[in-house]
Amino acid sequence: TTSDVQASAQGRNSPIEEGQVGIRCIHCSMLHIKCRSRGAVYFPRSIDGIYQVAQNLTKIHLCGGCNRVPESLRKKLTELSKVNKRASGGKRYWNERVRELGIYEDGKGIRFKKASS
């Protein structure tokens, strides 16, 4: 969104561009950017980065910092994080599913393919 583009991109080497695909916490997305806890929004530069971003969002934000996550969900995510990581399919699985959704890399980030009419 425009507000994401205008927001501080702490720790980023390149700015976020409008239309770039990101991942955000659904529980605190309605809050002003400065009111969200650490790790609420990520904009990976590559499809390979989506897996790690999802891991970070879960570990840092959903299981830790976000006070809007229901306690029952936080407990479930914490339990699932202790399960064998290979059961989730890992990076390869995520990459395949993301491409199926129509996400591609353009050298500056990742984007959705426009639907053909």
Side-chain angles (χ1 to χ4, degrees):
T1 64
T2 303
S3 61
D4 290 317
V5 172
Q6 293 171 350
S8 168
Q10 183 177 358
R12 291 191 59 86
N13 294 329
S14 57
I16 297 162
E17 295 186 6
E18 196 158 348
Q20 188 173 341
V21 172
I23 184 171
R24 75 176 69 235
C25 173
I26 192 171
H27 304 286
C28 66
S29 63
M30 75 297 289
L31 297 176
H32 185 275
I33 290 168
K34 293 185 180 197
C35 295
R36 299 178 197 154
S37 64
R38 179 174 174 247
V41 180
Y42 290 91
F43 289 90
R45 289 188 46 87
S46 69
I47 289 174
D48 280 345
I50 292 174
Y51 175 78
Q52 186 60 52
V53 160
Q55 299 299 310
N56 291 348
L57 179 76
T58 302
K59 183 178 179 182
I60 295 168
H61 186 76
L62 298 175
C63 290
C66 185
N67 61 7
R68 299 222 172 210
V69 175
E71 190 56 37
S72 60
L73 177 59
R74 189 183 318 272
K75 278 184 176 179
K76 183 68 174 172
L77 289 170
T78 302
E79 289 170 19
L80 288 171
S81 72
K82 296 174 185 173
V83 175
N84 185 344
K85 303 288 186 207
R86 289 181 286 177
S88 67
K91 188 183 282 190
R92 185 170 146 219
Y93 173 83
W94 281 73
N95 287 357
E96 290 170 0
R97 300 297 81 77
V98 164
R99 290 179 196 281
E100 288 174 4
L101 291 171
I103 293 178
Y104 69 98
E105 297 176 20
D106 73 351
K108 296 179 182 178
I110 56 176
R111 303 188 184 279
F112 274 110
K113 290 181 183 167
K114 291 183 177 156
S116 54
S117 317

